[in-house]
Amino acid sequence: MSLSEFELIHRFFRDLGAARDDVVLGIGDDGAITRVPPDHELVTTVDTLVSGVHFDENAAASDIGHKALAVNLSDLAAMGAEPAWATLAISLPEVDESWLQSFAEGFNALAAKHRVQLVGGDTVRGPLQVTVQLQGLVPNGAALTRAGAQPGDAIFVTGTLGDAALALQMIESGATPSETVLGQINRPVARVAAGIGLRDLASACVDVSDGLAVDLGHVLAASNAGATLQLKALPGSVAIVVVGDEQERWRLQLAGGDDYELCFTAPADNVGQIDALARELDLRITRIGEVEKKKGLRLARPDGTLWDMPPGGFEHFRA
Amino acid sequence: MSLSEFELIHRFFRDLGAARDDVVLGIGDDGAITRVPPDHELVTTVDTLVSGVHFDENAAASDIGHKALAVNLSDLAAMGAEPAWATLAISLPEVDESWLQSFAEGFNALAAKHRVQLVGGDTVRGPLQVTVQLQGLVPNGAALTRAGAQPGDAIFVTGTLGDAALALQMIESGATPSETVLGQINRPVARVAAGIGLRDLASACVDVSDGLAVDLGHVLAASNAGATLQLKALPGSVAIVVVGDEQERWRLQLAGGDDYELCFTAPADNVGQIDALARELDLRITRIGEVEKKKGLRLARPDGTLWDMPPGGFEHFRA
């Protein structure tokens, strides 16, 4: 890129997000310098969004800016980490000032909300892609991981499941999703405060990005355990509970993905504290099943009969 | 990507680089967990390479793997930081096992050499792009920055300048560059040990990626100073010193870019220690000019007459 373009981009990205005391040197040198507080560990995550794959080619730039950070915030939330510093690599077919302005606004609003400071960036000419790398802080040993679920632990999920999948399905069939449902795709909310609140309560945690069945499967694999989920317990929005075909509804909720909720396990003794956290955060937290010694994922129908999740995952559920 | 593709990629990237004691949790969860040693700061840098822009579409995958890490190592070197942890985001048009194998080899060899552990990754389907984010460690307050050059400081550069630009020029004109010259494009060497050795010696430092004139310009701007460079002192390889037209040679050396050498300033009193470091590392370090109070960059011809660098940079040098 030419120098004038460089200056333009520099202007948009120089001061994105919060101004943090632990940033010794921000954007503008060969690297940023930051300080990790004593007795804290660093949690690092990275996600790339590709135009036409992870967002629609006509998506609003501000939504892309929001989502690129939100999907990383969701990963940090699943680790119980407090967000701190981000880097942003953007590939753009051309330098479009209004697009950059809008992207920066979407990114900035979410970054400021979570006290994230942008400390590094690279802008290149190429097909539209956005890679955000995000770092967070957690007291030594307090991070949540996918390992640690114990037989007997209860399984929970925050918020509701299936809206993003429903929205995609409606769009593909030519229907118009409601603003709320569409928001789940364009402006996902990461459960950062819930993740931090769960540090001392959860035994394992994952964010639901690929679909509950797949992501819970990661927890069970890492924890060397199995589980049974109660299908009737799966929390859904008003939009999803009116889906008439219950198998279709479950498919959206278990395999849809893009929910960016937290699925976590916890000893049954912690249920009271988890309820208190839900009230404090004004966040729905639903108990949906139980961790078991027997490997595999079983789905309990409302009538109590069990369905074994086939090895190929939920996509083969109806076959 | 499908799960089987995910597994394939996972296999290639899971164990890239060194196994470090300060990595509490590596690839495979929602985030990695790492520990910064007491009294150390973190240095962060990010760079994206785009196919057809930063590397040839037919470039060997192992060279791309090497270069994606090397350009970031060069940024850390300029900060005097010791490399530690990397994340890698790759966008691939298709999952090609032999390409991935080769890319991983190139990345891995360089990562192992510098004790870098890959702690996070994302692989998406899209046009070929590679974004590496790299973190390094430096004792509190010891990082080198672009600010700090003082009038009277000497200006130095490591290695030689202009080979990458010469190689590109030869390729564009249909000629075949020597292996050595070509290596400067495909397998750049980052001056990591030199950066670390310069922590207590240099007053300011930058890596030469956009061309010496531009990058030294960043140092002068950040340090609120100017400089005169001695054109006859610019170090060149055997390939570059035989370029007959001296203006053309200087243009390649001052504006070519992709050198990945360090340009630094230091008090004249440190010359002896800098010479000792050069001997210790078996690395050419050349004194090429002097920082001055008067703003702007001046180029001293071999006959002693001065050329003012025009504001538009070296591209306008001959006009």
Side-chain angles (χ1 to χ4, degrees):
Chain A
M1 302 220 163
S2 73
L3 276 184
S4 58
E5 287 174 347
F6 176 82
E7 289 302 324
L8 179 69
I9 291 165
H10 198 69
R11 213 171 66 212
F12 285 117
F13 295 139
R14 176 147 202 143
D15 297 313
L16 282 194
R20 295 179 59 95
D21 289 344
D22 52 13
V23 175
V24 180
L25 184 67
I27 286 182
D29 211 297
D30 287 299
I33 306 174
T34 56
R35 282 201 178 154
V36 173
D39 305 321
H40 280 67
E41 292 167 333
L42 198 61
V43 178
T44 301
T45 178
V46 63
D47 268 300
T48 298
L49 302 185
V50 178
S51 176
V53 180
H54 302 95
F55 56 85
D56 188 83
E57 283 162 27
N58 301 313
S62 60
D63 285 347
I64 302 169
H66 174 101
K67 189 167 183 175
L69 182 57
V71 298
N72 281 285
L73 285 167
S74 185
D75 283 323
L76 283 197
M79 306 287 292
E82 188 181 325
W85 317 304
T87 67
L88 170 63
I90 303 190
S91 164
L92 282 173
E94 57 182 351
V95 175
D96 174 338
E97 191 161 352
S98 69
W99 191 95
L100 283 166
Q101 178 74 44
S102 170
F103 178 93
E105 280 168 12
F107 187 96
N108 190 54
L110 190 60
K113 182 182 170 191
H114 291 286
R115 295 198 61 244
V116 170
Q117 182 170 344
L118 188 72
V119 297
D122 193 17
T123 312
V124 297
R125 191 183 302 281
L128 183 56
Q129 289 194 7
V130 183
T131 297
V132 170
Q133 193 261 19
L134 182 64
Q135 297 205 293
L137 301 166
V138 71
N140 283 348
L144 298 169
T145 70
R146 295 173 180 182
Q150 298 291 331
D153 282 358
I155 302 170
F156 301 83
V157 70
T158 61
T160 62
L161 299 170
D163 273 2
L166 178 64
L168 276 181
Q169 196 178 63
M170 289 178 75
I171 291 166
E172 277 164 17
S173 70
T176 305
S178 69
E179 284 291 316
T180 313
V181 172
L182 210 53
Q184 184 58 41
I185 293 184
N186 295 332
R187 293 263 172 171
V189 173
R191 301 303 185 187
V192 175
I196 293 170
L198 288 169
R199 280 177 191 162
D200 298 326
L201 301 175
S203 52
C205 189
V206 72
D207 85 314
V208 183
S209 53
D210 294 329
L212 180 67
V214 166
D215 291 314
L216 175 59
H218 292 321
V219 167
L220 299 176
S223 301
N224 200 27
T228 297
L229 286 185
Q230 302 297 326
L231 287 170
K232 68 180 176 194
L234 296 177
S237 70
V238 172
I240 202 92
V241 296
V242 299
V243 172
D245 178 346
E246 64 181 8
Q247 287 216 20
E248 175 59 12
R249 194 169 69 232
W250 296 333
R251 195 187 64 76
L252 290 169
Q253 298 197 279
L254 287 166
D258 274 337
D259 297 297
Y260 302 107
E261 299 294 347
L262 297 182
C263 174
F264 62 96
T265 62
D269 288 353
N270 291 351
V271 167
Q273 285 174 273
I274 290 166
D275 284 345
L277 179 67
R279 281 193 302 276
E280 183 194 325
L281 299 177
D282 193 19
L283 173 67
R284 188 167 168 179
I285 297 183
T286 310
R287 186 169 175 173
I288 57 172
E290 189 169 305
V291 180
E292 292 161 348
K293 196 170 174 180
K294 184 185 172 193
K295 301 288 174 61
L297 181 57
R298 290 157 292 282
L299 305 170
R301 296 189 191 86
D303 67 6
T305 57
L306 289 184
W307 226 330
D308 274 323
M309 189 83 178
F314 200 84
E315 295 302 326
H316 304 274
F317 186 55
R318 310 184 79 158
Chain B
M1 302 221 163
S2 74
L3 277 184
S4 58
E5 287 176 345
F6 176 83
E7 289 300 326
L8 179 69
I9 290 165
H10 199 68
R11 213 172 66 212
F12 284 117
F13 295 138
R14 177 147 201 144
D15 298 313
L16 282 194
R20 294 178 60 95
D21 290 343
D22 53 14
V23 175
V24 180
L25 185 66
I27 286 183
D29 211 297
D30 286 299
I33 306 174
T34 55
R35 283 200 177 155
V36 173
D39 306 319
H40 279 67
E41 292 168 330
L42 198 60
V43 178
T44 301
T45 179
V46 61
D47 269 299
T48 298
L49 303 186
V50 178
S51 176
V53 180
H54 301 96
F55 55 86
D56 189 82
E57 282 162 29
N58 301 314
S62 60
D63 285 347
I64 301 169
H66 174 101
K67 188 167 183 175
L69 182 57
V71 297
N72 281 285
L73 285 167
S74 184
D75 283 324
L76 284 196
M79 306 286 293
E82 188 180 324
W85 318 304
T87 67
L88 171 62
I90 303 191
S91 164
L92 282 173
E94 58 182 350
V95 175
D96 174 336
E97 191 160 352
S98 69
W99 191 94
L100 282 166
Q101 178 73 47
S102 169
F103 178 92
E105 281 169 11
F107 187 96
N108 191 54
L110 190 60
K113 182 181 169 192
H114 290 287
R115 296 199 57 247
V116 169
Q117 182 170 346
L118 189 72
V119 298
D122 193 17
T123 311
V124 297
R125 192 183 301 282
L128 182 56
Q129 289 194 5
V130 183
T131 297
V132 170
Q133 193 262 18
L134 182 64
Q135 297 203 293
L137 302 165
V138 70
N140 282 349
L144 298 170
T145 69
R146 295 174 180 181
Q150 299 289 331
D153 282 358
I155 303 171
F156 301 83
V157 69
T158 62
T160 61
L161 299 169
D163 273 2
L166 178 65
L168 276 180
Q169 194 178 65
M170 290 178 73
I171 291 167
E172 278 164 16
S173 69
T176 306
S178 70
E179 284 293 316
T180 313
V181 173
L182 210 52
Q184 183 58 39
I185 293 186
N186 296 332
R187 293 263 171 171
V189 173
R191 302 303 185 188
V192 174
I196 293 170
L198 288 168
R199 279 177 192 162
D200 299 326
L201 301 176
S203 51
C205 189
V206 71
D207 85 313
V208 183
S209 53
D210 294 328
L212 179 67
V214 167
D215 291 313
L216 175 59
H218 293 320
V219 167
L220 299 177
S223 302
N224 199 27
T228 296
L229 287 185
Q230 301 296 326
L231 288 170
K232 69 180 174 193
L234 295 177
S237 70
V238 172
I240 203 92
V241 295
V242 299
V243 172
D245 178 344
E246 64 181 10
Q247 288 216 19
E248 175 60 13
R249 194 169 71 230
W250 296 332
R251 195 187 64 76
L252 291 168
Q253 297 196 278
L254 287 167
D258 274 336
D259 297 297
Y260 302 108
E261 299 294 346
L262 298 182
C263 174
F264 62 96
T265 61
D269 286 354
N270 292 350
V271 167
Q273 284 173 275
I274 289 166
D275 284 345
L277 179 68
R279 281 192 302 275
E280 184 195 325
L281 300 177
D282 194 19
L283 172 67
R284 186 167 169 182
I285 296 182
T286 310
R287 186 170 175 172
I288 57 172
E290 190 170 304
V291 180
E292 294 161 348
K293 197 170 175 183
K294 184 184 171 193
K295 301 289 175 61
L297 182 58
R298 289 157 292 281
L299 306 170
R301 297 188 190 89
D303 67 6
T305 56
L306 290 183
W307 224 331
D308 274 323
M309 189 83 178
F314 201 84
E315 295 302 326
H316 304 274
F317 186 55
R318 308 184 81 157

